[in-house]
C-alpha cells in the first residue's frame, strides 16, 4: 500500500523553498489560467505558504457568516501585504 502525502501538504512543503516573489508570481499565473479541479488545492497550498511567512493576506481573504472567501485576483506585494491589482 502506498503512503503518499495529500497534494496540498506536498505543495506546502515544496513552496517552502520558493522565494516570496516567486510565490506572488505563481499566484498570479494560477488566477489567470484555466486549471482543472486541482487548482484550488494548489492555490490553497501557495497561500498557506505565504501566510506562514507572515505575509498579510487580509486584503484577499475574508470571513462572512463563518465562510472563508478568497478573492481570485492578481496581487502585488507591498509592505509584507498582498494587495489586489485592479
Amino acid at each position: 500500500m502506498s503512503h503518499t502525502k495529500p497534494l496540498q501538504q506536498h505543495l506546502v512543503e515544496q513552496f517552502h523553498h520558493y522565494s516570496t516573489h516567486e510565490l506572488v508570481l505563481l499566484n498570479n499565473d494560477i488566477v489567470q489560467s484555466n486549471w482543472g479541479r486541482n487548482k484550488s488545492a494548489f492555490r490553497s497550498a501557495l497561500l498557506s505558504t505565504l501566510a506562514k511567512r507572515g505575509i498579510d493576506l487580509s486584503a484577499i481573504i475574508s470571513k462572512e457568516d463563518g465562510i472563508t472567501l478568497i478573492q481570485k485576483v492578481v496581487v502585488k506585494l507591498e509592505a509584507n501585504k498582498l494587495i489586489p491589482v485592479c
Side-chain angles (χ1 to χ4, degrees):
M1 176 181 248
S2 176
H3 295 286
T4 60
K5 297 177 191 174
L7 176 60
Q8 183 174 348
Q9 180 183 350
H10 171 73
L11 292 171
V12 167
E13 291 172 5
Q14 296 307 308
F15 289 157
H16 174 74
H17 303 289
Y18 283 50
S19 72
T20 301
H21 180 71
E22 287 172 319
L23 292 170
V24 170
L25 291 176
L26 189 54
N27 173 78
N28 295 345
D29 287 346
I30 292 167
V31 167
Q32 295 174 329
S33 72
N34 292 317
W35 282 30
R37 66 179 188 221
N38 287 327
K39 181 178 180 176
S40 63
F42 191 87
R43 185 158 187 246
S44 179
L46 187 149
L47 293 175
S48 178
T49 303
L50 285 167
K52 286 180 181 178
R53 292 187 181 184
I55 304 298
D56 182 354
L57 308 175
S58 63
I60 64 167
I61 298 177
S62 62
K63 289 194 179 203
E64 294 180 18
D65 296 327
I67 298 172
T68 301
L69 302 171
I70 303 172
Q71 294 180 43
K72 196 169 142 182
V73 295
V74 173
V75 296
K76 62 182 176 180
L77 183 65
E78 283 186 5
N80 213 40
K81 182 174 184 173
L82 289 186
I83 306 294
V85 177
C86 297

